[in-house]
Amino acid sequence: MAEASTEEEAIVLIDIKEVVKTKVTRDKREGVGVCVEFENDLFDEKGNKIGTCVGTGVLSANGEGEDERFQLFSATDHFEDGSVLWTGPAPHLPAEPTKEHAVQAVGTSGRYLGKKGTRHFQLVDRPDGETTILRSSLFLRG
């Protein structure tokens, strides 16, 4: 994980391996309105655990087709030196699984406090129905 930070410069965390564990929390039905909770472990490129991410996702839709579905996420990354809140939509079943997605992020404590930017994530693997492996990054300024 490459990292850079000063008071005036950006905070950049890249090449984060994110192991997502999800569970359906409202009911077992499929479709719009299903809510999932997730707890993710965040690792640097050497395999060291650097933090956790806790959040929710709600399945929504802009229309009737499967490609019209998306998930609205809200989560907080917790690192030893502070935390970052991120929220936004991403495709439910991406047509291009390797495409990177970005959502808005804001620092809520520690060295991240008050900084704003984006949280990026990209599907790497889905070994089972409750586990997803992502490659993530975080870019903040302020």
Side-chain angles (χ1 to χ4, degrees):
M1 177 178 69
E3 185 174 336
S5 176
T6 70
E7 285 294 317
E8 302 298 320
E9 293 181 17
I11 294 176
V12 178
L13 304 176
I14 59 172
D15 290 332
I16 299 169
K17 178 182 178 184
E18 188 165 1
V19 179
V20 181
K21 294 290 188 179
T22 59
K23 65 178 182 175
V24 176
T25 58
R26 300 258 165 117
D27 57 34
K28 295 295 180 186
R29 70 177 171 81
E30 300 234 355
V32 173
V34 155
C35 181
V36 296
E37 291 180 348
F38 51 89
E39 292 187 23
N40 309 351
D41 290 324
L42 307 174
F43 300 92
D44 66 15
E45 73 278 357
K46 295 178 182 175
N48 300 311
K49 187 173 177 181
I50 59 169
T52 59
C53 176
V54 178
T56 58
V58 177
L59 183 61
S60 299
N62 287 328
E64 297 297 319
E66 187 68 31
D67 59 343
E68 301 278 334
R69 292 180 176 199
F70 65 94
Q71 288 189 38
L72 184 58
F73 293 105
S74 181
T76 302
D77 292 337
H78 300 277
F79 301 102
E80 189 173 300
D81 56 356
S83 59
V84 177
L85 171 69
W86 54 272
T87 188
H92 174 59
L93 297 172
E96 301 173 57
T98 59
K99 182 179 179 186
E100 184 176 87
H101 303 284
V103 294
Q104 298 298 307
V106 62
T108 55
S109 71
R111 76 178 184 129
Y112 311 98
L113 183 62
K115 295 186 182 295
K116 297 175 184 168
T118 53
R119 169 77 146 69
H120 300 252
F121 52 93
Q122 179 178 358
L123 177 66
V124 172
D125 191 17
R126 186 167 279 148
D128 60 59
E130 296 178 354
T131 307
T132 304
I133 309 298
L134 304 173
R135 183 174 67 211
S136 302
S137 56
L138 181 66
F139 301 91
L140 299 174
R141 280 196 96 84

